[in-house]
Amino acid sequence: MAKRSSLIARTISTLIILILLLIAIAVVTKLVGSRPFERTVVEMFIRVMLVAGLYIFVGNSGVISFGHIGFMCLGAYAAAWFTIPPAMKGVSLPGLPSFLAHAQLHFLVSAALAGLLAAIFALIVGRIMMRLSGIAASIATFAMLAVINTVYSNWDSVTGGTGSIVGIPFNTGIWTALGGAILVVIIAYLYQISRSGLALRAGRDEATAAAASGIDIVRERLIAFVISAFTIGVAGALYAHFLGVVNPDAFYLGVTFITLSMLVVGGMNSLSGAVLGVIVISTIIQLLRWLEKGIDLGGTTIAIPNGLQEIAIGLVMIVILMFRPSGLTRNRELVWRYWPFGKGSVNGVAVSKTIENVR
Amino acid sequence: MTAVLQVIFDALSLGSLYALGALGIALIFGVMRLVNFAHGDYISFCVFAMLWPSIDAAAIVFAGNLPTVILIPLILAIGAGLSVLSEILIFRRFRNANPATMMIASFALGFVIKNFLLMLFSSRPKSIDLWSNLSLPVEIAGARIPLLQVITIIITIVILLGLTAFLKRTRFGLEMRAAAENFTMARMLGVKANRVIMLAFAISGMLAAAIGLILATQSGTADIQMGVSVMLVAFIATVIGGLGSLPGAVIAGFLIGGASVLMQVILPLDARPFRDAFVYGAVIACLIWRPQGLFAPKSTKQRV
Amino acid sequence: MSRVKTLALAAAFGTLIAQTAWADDIVVGFATAESGFMQAYDKPAQDAAMIRIDEINKAGGLLGKQIKVVTADTKTDRAEGAKAGLEVLDKGAELVIVSCDYDFGSPAALAAEAAGKVSFFLCAESIKAGIPGVGPHSFSASVLAAVQGATMAEWAYNKRNARNFYRLLDTWTVYNKGICDGFDWQLPHLKDAKLVGSDTFKNEDASIASQISRIKALPQEPDAIMLCTMMPGAVSAVKQIRAAGIKAPIINGSGMDGSYWLSAVPDLSNFYVPVQGSIYGDDPNPAVNAFNKKYKEVTGGDPSSQYVYPGYVLIDVWAKAVERAKTTDADAVVAELEKMKGEQTLFGPRTFTNEIHHQNTGRYLIVETDKGKPHVIDQWTISEPIPVADLLKQ
């Protein structure tokens, strides 16, 4: 269809810029060659997956979801169930059904299954919840997160309860995490230029007009909810393979708020905003942590007191939001308008105007 | 019969705590459409204000040693002061921002306050002995209930009646209600925006201080996480009660408190740790049934 | 000129060698919380460990070499914890000491295990802090939570004639569940002892009124209430229980040790806590009281709870194992540690086997709080150690 391919042509530059940015970060990390630093970057890539996945739902529908980290919990525990050696599972998780207790799958297969589990759960729960709008929907998603957290914290025989379960193989290295981040960014991009994505954004901006034009907002929301649940489930699985231990309290309020903050500070309604938000905030946090450890400058060590990093990042986020209330990217995408995506300044101007209209 | 009465009192006392919290959040939401996630941290701050900063295990009670008649107004003033300060420094600049931005800003503020307290006091909870004679039980119709709980229930009712009178009978109250209904129109009619908002924040801050005092007396500890669980439930209660409706928020607070106590009583032992799952499930059910809240003014029901 | 150059070169080369730390130091790495909420629990034990390290260094060092300490902050964050473990390993640590809590210490311990180094939990009391949860080179310096529950049940049965027990569990952490698991294991071994009721609550609950109502509804007060909980919610729970007029003896886990919280429940009586050593100056072993004084000199404050002591024990047993193995090689040190049976330390005997790198029995001092003043009144060791199989099942 001519319209679709011209839409792709106009917006693909964003996708390419983001992917190149992520690859560049990975390459630089490998060149630096420090193990702790590499782990920081892997964690950042997993956050990119989380925030981009969150964006698929929150950015396109305008509904702030506090519950998506529940899908991360589902995905992480699913990865644990599928990949921990059966001998260890028998001891620590006696209540698992036998097909899980004896399973030991390859971690990529298990990650895909983890995403699928999260997506199926989202489908069931979403059928009920997606008719809600605005703040009622947000509270409902928070209630969903709380239910998941309570169940996982107390169902000792199947999830190990509030204790961590160990034995998850360490498979998430920098290239795996990079692959995951690129995958989620591509999924987010494809969704946002798809018919469903455009319809949902229309519903976000003008609910009455969209409904009058025949858009079934509830259905579109459900699709976005399920897709975002899948990506966050996969992110959860990769996180489990990164840390080696899972614990329900790692998937509750702390992560929820940091991912939402990264999304809003970056720019809630744009994919570039999601990715940039993660990169910028993670960078600032890491810089502050290095300052806490102390930097040697010509013989003297400059260090800020321990604990100041958290206060500083909170203040930084407030300041960023004060000056850029819609986020760093001001809800626009990063685009490259010159060759080969536009034929010069005259066409460039026309192209950029149409891009704004599509937003 | 006494068992039922006991359950009712338990539910009322837990519910009043949640109701006070919901009131604090609903007030600010009413005038600014802002959910103040820092509310829980205001509560903790007010409690720690009674102690001298120290990371030792034992608390150095400082202001907490003042006589009651000075202590209560002092803590209320500190709560109001912190709240108004955050309005002037931070929330004022977000007046026209979208709800997500305001929410994240309030969350970041709460995060800063919490870590600030963490740095000053360390995470080990400190114990304070505040009016412990209030924890002694009082017999009412055969049911035993700590005096503190009775006082909490009475205070909540008094505050509610007082606020209602304030909102309906005074000029300030009228301005606040007008601002909550339609801010722009109210300003055009001569309501001073800053004054109304600051008043809302001040009252909300005082409510946070009151909750802090009650929690400190009840639990005997000052802990940086103490406001979190109350605040979460308060947030939910505000929405279930109907955004923009103060009585709705209060009643929803009591309802959630009641549901929680009821679950604790009737669930079998194995299911009891899952009590919260049932309560939150009920919350979702309630929202599906009435998304605009139980007591929302008719104008907020979505037409499409 | 050339002599100066040679000397300078030699000096530079020398510093280079010294910095790679093969030479005269044994490196011990602390991957613990220096900020965030675990800091309040890790720091005291770490300080005690440092006291032992100083003692060893002053007495000539370990295997003739001085012990050098490197640290990395886990910031009470699991991912950061794993990084902290990697950092101290990169700095050459032979022993990685991790956080007091299994959940927060395990990432760093797993990193140490992957590198084939010995890891030691500062004061973790979960069975997972060791072989089942990390690997064959991992140990814990404290005593299992289950032992605390079992000890208090047996002591109350024997010394206070308790027959009817009530069990109140705070479902917040594995530590709490561990105490109650030990209690559950012990109760059937006590003839005529009965469980008259059981209930749960959450640490953060503002009010446990309904749980208390259940206790009051019993035909008569239980002979002992087993309270499996920890700070901060524990204070509120105890306050509410006593305020409701329930005067029954309350038996606890070690998490309730400490006098810093007693001002919140004035005149508390009939309250019993098991401890590895007394911080109140009345330990039957005078060396413990001397240690308390030393701790106060070094850190400026009295020990806040008995969780300071496992830090000291950690360095003590590890150093002994290194001396016996005559090397810091992980496998050799582990072999020596596993030979320890009833090894005397300042705070009770320690036994490690190749099945369990934790303590499934222990000598506990019983501290009674009477009218708000805690003091040691007795000593108890459970009559049989809790079998490893039972511990793992839970």
Side-chain angles (χ1 to χ4, degrees):
Chain A
M1 191 170 34
K3 292 217 176 84
R4 174 80 55 215
S5 56
S6 75
L7 178 57
I8 294 183
R10 274 182 267 140
T11 52
I12 194 100
S13 62
T14 305
L15 181 65
I16 298 184
I17 294 178
L18 292 176
I19 293 182
L20 287 177
L21 184 59
L22 292 172
I23 294 181
I25 295 179
V27 167
V28 166
T29 309
K30 262 313 202 197
L31 289 176
V32 166
S34 138
R35 274 192 308 170
F37 183 63
E38 195 174 306
R39 284 189 74 97
T40 308
V41 176
V42 170
E43 204 187 349
M44 190 187 83
F45 283 147
I46 295 181
R47 291 237 174 93
V48 169
M49 291 177 76
L50 287 173
V51 176
L54 198 59
Y55 157 77
I56 293 177
F57 180 71
V58 175
N60 289 308
S61 73
V63 172
I64 301 172
S65 165
F66 293 111
H68 271 65
I69 298 299
F71 300 130
M72 188 185 180
C73 184
L74 292 172
Y77 272 85
W81 291 332
F82 286 126
T83 56
I84 294 183
M88 291 185 74
K89 267 188 291 209
V91 166
S92 54
L93 305 173
L96 281 180
S98 61
F99 78 92
L100 277 178
H102 294 111
Q104 189 168 12
L105 303 173
H106 183 265
F107 88 101
L108 287 175
V109 173
S110 112
L113 286 175
L116 209 59
L117 175 68
I120 293 176
F121 184 78
L123 187 61
I124 300 173
V125 172
R127 289 284 283 132
I128 313 173
M129 288 198 322
M130 285 303 108
R131 70 188 74 169
L132 298 170
S133 290
I135 200 144
S138 306
I139 296 286
T141 56
F142 174 71
M144 176 187 83
L145 174 69
V147 169
I148 293 178
N149 184 270
T150 307
V151 170
Y152 272 74
S153 299
N154 287 295
W155 202 0
D156 293 0
S157 58
V158 167
T159 65
T162 50
S164 315
I165 40 179
V166 252
I168 309 175
F170 290 96
N171 293 117
T172 308
I174 189 145
W175 302 117
T176 314
L178 174 67
I182 293 182
L183 176 71
V184 175
V185 167
I186 292 179
I187 294 179
Y189 171 75
L190 288 175
Y191 177 73
Q192 95 184 14
I193 61 168
S194 75
R195 192 165 201 281
S196 173
L198 290 173
L200 186 60
R201 291 221 291 286
R204 171 194 79 197
D205 292 334
E206 277 300 332
T208 330
S213 313
I215 293 178
D216 183 353
I217 297 186
V218 176
R219 193 184 82 112
E220 308 301 350
R221 270 195 204 140
L222 185 60
I223 295 178
F225 198 59
V226 170
I227 297 180
S228 70
F230 175 79
T231 55
I232 293 192
V234 174
L238 288 185
Y239 185 73
H241 289 293
F242 166 63
L243 209 51
V245 297
V246 282
N247 181 289
D249 142 68
F251 305 114
Y252 199 43
L253 298 174
V255 186
T256 301
F257 283 119
I258 197 89
T259 44
L260 270 174
S261 304
M262 287 177 176
L263 180 61
V264 172
V265 167
M268 196 170 89
N269 293 338
S270 73
L271 180 58
S272 318
V275 176
L276 272 182
V278 177
I279 296 179
V280 167
I281 296 200
S282 300
T283 311
I284 299 181
I285 291 182
Q286 195 53 45
L287 285 173
L288 288 167
R289 285 189 181 164
W290 278 332
L291 273 178
E292 271 186 347
K293 290 198 177 74
I295 302 189
D296 285 312
L297 271 186
T300 49
T301 312
I302 302 185
I304 59 178
N306 274 353
L308 208 53
Q309 174 253 310
E310 283 89 356
I311 298 182
I313 192 70
L315 291 172
V316 164
M317 286 201 285
I318 294 180
V319 168
I320 293 181
L321 286 177
M322 256 194 231
F323 291 106
R324 295 266 185 113
S326 7
L328 287 169
T329 59
R330 289 189 207 161
N331 287 336
R332 297 201 213 131
E333 300 282 3
L334 295 172
V335 276
W336 177 263
R337 297 199 189 118
Y338 309 103
W339 183 89
F341 300 111
K343 296 205 190 95
S345 58
V346 173
N347 274 356
V349 169
V351 165
S352 68
K353 277 217 171 64
T354 4
I355 289 179
E356 294 332 19
N357 290 342
V358 168
R359 288 281 148 263
Chain B
M1 185 55 207
T2 41
V4 174
L5 206 57
Q6 190 72 60
V7 171
I8 294 181
F9 272 120
D10 294 342
L12 275 179
S13 70
L14 186 61
S16 27
L17 212 56
Y18 290 153
L20 282 178
L23 205 52
I25 299 214
L27 262 175
I28 299 191
F29 191 88
V31 291
M32 260 186 96
R33 293 284 172 267
L34 158 72
V35 180
N36 190 3
F37 280 115
H39 201 74
D41 300 289
Y42 292 166
I43 296 177
S44 313
F45 187 89
C46 292
V47 175
F48 276 99
M50 290 192 272
L51 306 172
W52 190 254
S54 128
I55 59 172
D56 287 342
I60 304 177
V61 185
F62 162 59
N65 276 332
L66 294 170
T68 309
V69 86
I70 303 185
L71 181 62
I72 297 185
L74 178 65
I75 300 294
L76 290 180
I78 291 180
L82 177 65
S83 195
V84 170
L85 199 65
S86 59
E87 203 286 304
I88 296 177
L89 289 179
I90 300 178
F91 294 122
R92 187 167 291 198
R93 303 180 207 267
F94 289 102
R95 289 256 178 96
N96 297 319
N98 66 55
T101 305
M102 288 201 285
M103 239 189 254
I104 299 296
S106 74
F107 160 67
L109 175 65
F111 189 68
V112 168
I113 296 179
K114 183 162 81 164
N115 280 290
F116 177 66
L117 289 174
L118 184 60
M119 252 180 74
L120 286 183
F121 290 95
S122 99
S123 58
R124 189 191 293 274
K126 310 259 194 253
S127 65
I128 18 180
D129 176 18
L130 200 62
W131 310 315
S132 29
N133 50 336
L134 284 185
S135 302
L136 295 171
V138 151
E139 286 274 324
I140 298 184
R144 155 219 45 93
I145 169 169
L147 189 56
L148 179 62
Q149 282 187 357
V150 178
I151 293 185
T152 309
I153 299 175
I154 294 179
I155 288 183
T156 308
I157 298 179
V158 165
I159 290 181
L160 195 58
L161 291 175
L163 257 174
T164 317
F166 171 76
L167 288 173
K168 291 218 156 73
R169 302 280 168 84
T170 67
R171 187 195 161 79
F172 287 129
L174 183 62
E175 288 183 0
M176 232 195 260
R177 277 188 297 137
E181 230 179 82
N182 191 331
F183 199 62
T184 327
M185 195 61 187
R187 289 183 70 190
M188 281 195 252
L189 292 174
V191 167
K192 289 204 177 32
N194 283 350
R195 207 167 58 181
V196 166
I197 292 181
M198 268 211 284
L199 199 55
F201 269 90
I203 300 180
S204 174
M206 284 197 272
L207 285 169
I211 298 179
L213 284 173
I214 295 176
L215 279 178
T217 311
Q218 203 173 53
S219 67
T221 40
D223 170 46
I224 50 179
Q225 307 267 55
M226 59 197 302
V228 171
S229 58
V230 174
M231 196 223 69
L232 284 176
V233 177
F235 175 34
I236 296 180
T238 308
V239 174
I240 293 187
L243 292 167
S245 161
L246 292 178
V250 169
I251 296 181
F254 277 110
L255 280 176
I256 296 185
S260 191
V261 168
L262 203 63
M263 288 292 149
Q264 184 71 28
V265 169
I266 62 180
L267 284 176
L269 181 62
D270 287 332
R272 238 172 270 155
F274 295 96
R275 171 199 78 200
D276 285 344
F278 287 101
V279 175
Y280 283 112
V283 166
I284 296 183
C286 189
L287 283 170
I288 305 283
W289 173 53
R290 275 182 79 100
Q292 74 278 24
L294 295 168
F295 302 98
K298 290 216 177 59
S299 55
T300 58
K301 187 174 161 91
Q302 291 195 293
R303 296 189 317 271
V304 169
Chain C
M1 203 55 212
S2 66
R3 196 178 288 177
V4 174
K5 253 202 238 170
T6 332
L7 273 173
L9 262 171
F13 199 57
T15 5
L16 199 65
I17 293 188
Q19 282 189 347
T20 54
W22 322 313
D24 287 289
D25 289 342
I26 296 182
V27 180
V28 165
F30 282 89
T32 51
E34 291 161 29
S35 57
F37 88 80
M38 279 304 292
Q39 187 253 9
Y41 304 96
D42 284 353
K43 184 167 188 317
Q46 191 164 329
D47 288 338
M50 293 297 293
I51 291 183
R52 185 77 191 111
I53 291 181
D54 272 339
E55 284 176 5
I56 294 180
N57 277 345
K58 285 208 181 71
L62 191 57
L63 298 182
K65 305 182 193 166
Q66 291 287 293
I67 301 181
K68 180 168 115 131
V69 166
V70 296
T71 63
D73 186 2
T74 66
K75 301 187 75 58
T76 311
D77 178 79
R78 291 178 185 91
E80 200 66 20
K83 271 184 260 172
L86 287 174
E87 273 176 41
V88 300
L89 285 166
D90 285 344
K91 289 184 196 162
E94 295 292 337
L95 168 68
V96 177
I97 300 180
V98 301
S99 259
C100 247
D101 173 75
Y102 171 70
D103 292 333
F104 287 102
S106 54
L110 287 168
E113 186 68 36
K117 301 284 181 202
V118 176
S119 59
F120 243 103
F121 285 82
L122 264 177
C123 50
E125 299 188 326
S126 151
I127 181 65
K128 291 198 187 134
I131 306 174
V134 181
H137 296 95
S138 189
F139 292 78
S140 169
S142 189
V143 180
L144 283 170
V147 177
Q148 294 160 29
T151 304
M152 291 317 292
E154 215 186 21
W155 179 83
Y157 178 87
N158 283 304
K159 293 300 184 83
R160 287 283 182 276
N161 273 325
R163 295 292 179 270
N164 297 331
F165 289 86
Y166 194 90
R167 173 190 189 273
L168 188 55
L169 168 66
D170 165 7
T171 56
W172 189 36
T173 62
V174 171
Y175 168 73
N176 300 341
K177 292 182 189 162
I179 307 176
C180 270
D181 287 339
F183 171 82
D184 291 338
W185 172 84
Q186 182 69 280
L187 213 57
H189 290 105
L190 304 171
K191 210 159 80 79
D192 296 331
K194 250 176 22 169
L195 188 64
V196 295
S198 184
D199 207 348
T200 61
F201 70 103
K202 271 174 67 169
N203 198 279
E204 57 183 23
D205 281 347
S207 148
I208 60 168
S210 16
Q211 286 87 341
I212 291 181
S213 301
R214 260 207 186 91
I215 302 180
K216 295 286 277 189
L218 294 169
Q220 57 175 147
E221 245 185 36
D223 296 330
I225 300 180
M226 177 86 236
L227 188 58
C228 306
T229 180
M230 55 189 277
M231 299 296 158
V235 178
S236 161
V238 173
K239 216 171 138 80
Q240 290 176 59
I241 292 177
R242 285 289 186 247
I246 299 175
K247 299 213 185 327
I250 302 181
I251 50 180
N252 305 271
S254 304
M256 300 300 287
D257 182 42
S259 56
Y260 60 91
W261 59 272
L262 286 172
S263 59
V265 194
D267 287 339
L268 178 64
S269 288
N270 228 352
F271 189 79
Y272 304 94
V273 179
V275 297
Q276 297 172 30
S278 169
I279 61 174
Y280 308 107
D282 59 353
D283 196 293
N285 183 348
V288 171
N289 301 322
F291 172 83
N292 290 343
K293 284 207 189 60
K294 183 132 186 227
Y295 184 87
K296 184 166 184 167
E297 262 171 44
V298 169
T299 64
D302 288 312
S304 48
S305 82
Q306 62 111 52
Y307 282 103
V308 166
Y309 300 143
Y312 187 91
V313 172
L314 191 168
I315 302 289
D316 201 32
V317 296
W318 180 76
K320 283 196 184 127
V322 169
E323 290 280 349
R324 291 176 197 166
K326 305 217 186 335
T327 165
T328 56
D329 172 74
D331 292 318
V333 172
V334 168
E336 282 304 326
L337 280 167
E338 286 175 351
K339 288 190 199 143
M340 290 187 182
K341 303 265 172 288
E343 182 81 24
Q344 285 304 322
T345 73
L346 201 47
F347 304 104
R350 290 286 186 268
T351 301
F352 298 106
T353 72
N354 59 1
E355 264 196 325
I356 174 171
H357 288 173
H358 211 321
Q359 306 304 308
N360 57 351
T361 179
R363 176 223 66 164
Y364 270 109
L365 300 174
I366 311 293
V367 168
E368 176 185 7
T369 300
D370 184 45
K371 298 209 191 13
K373 298 252 172 303
H375 44 257
V376 177
I377 57 166
D378 204 352
Q379 182 175 294
W380 194 263
T381 304
I382 47 179
S383 38
E384 46 169 300
I386 308 182
V388 181
D390 287 337
L391 290 165
L392 288 176
K393 238 185 356 192
Q394 297 145 355

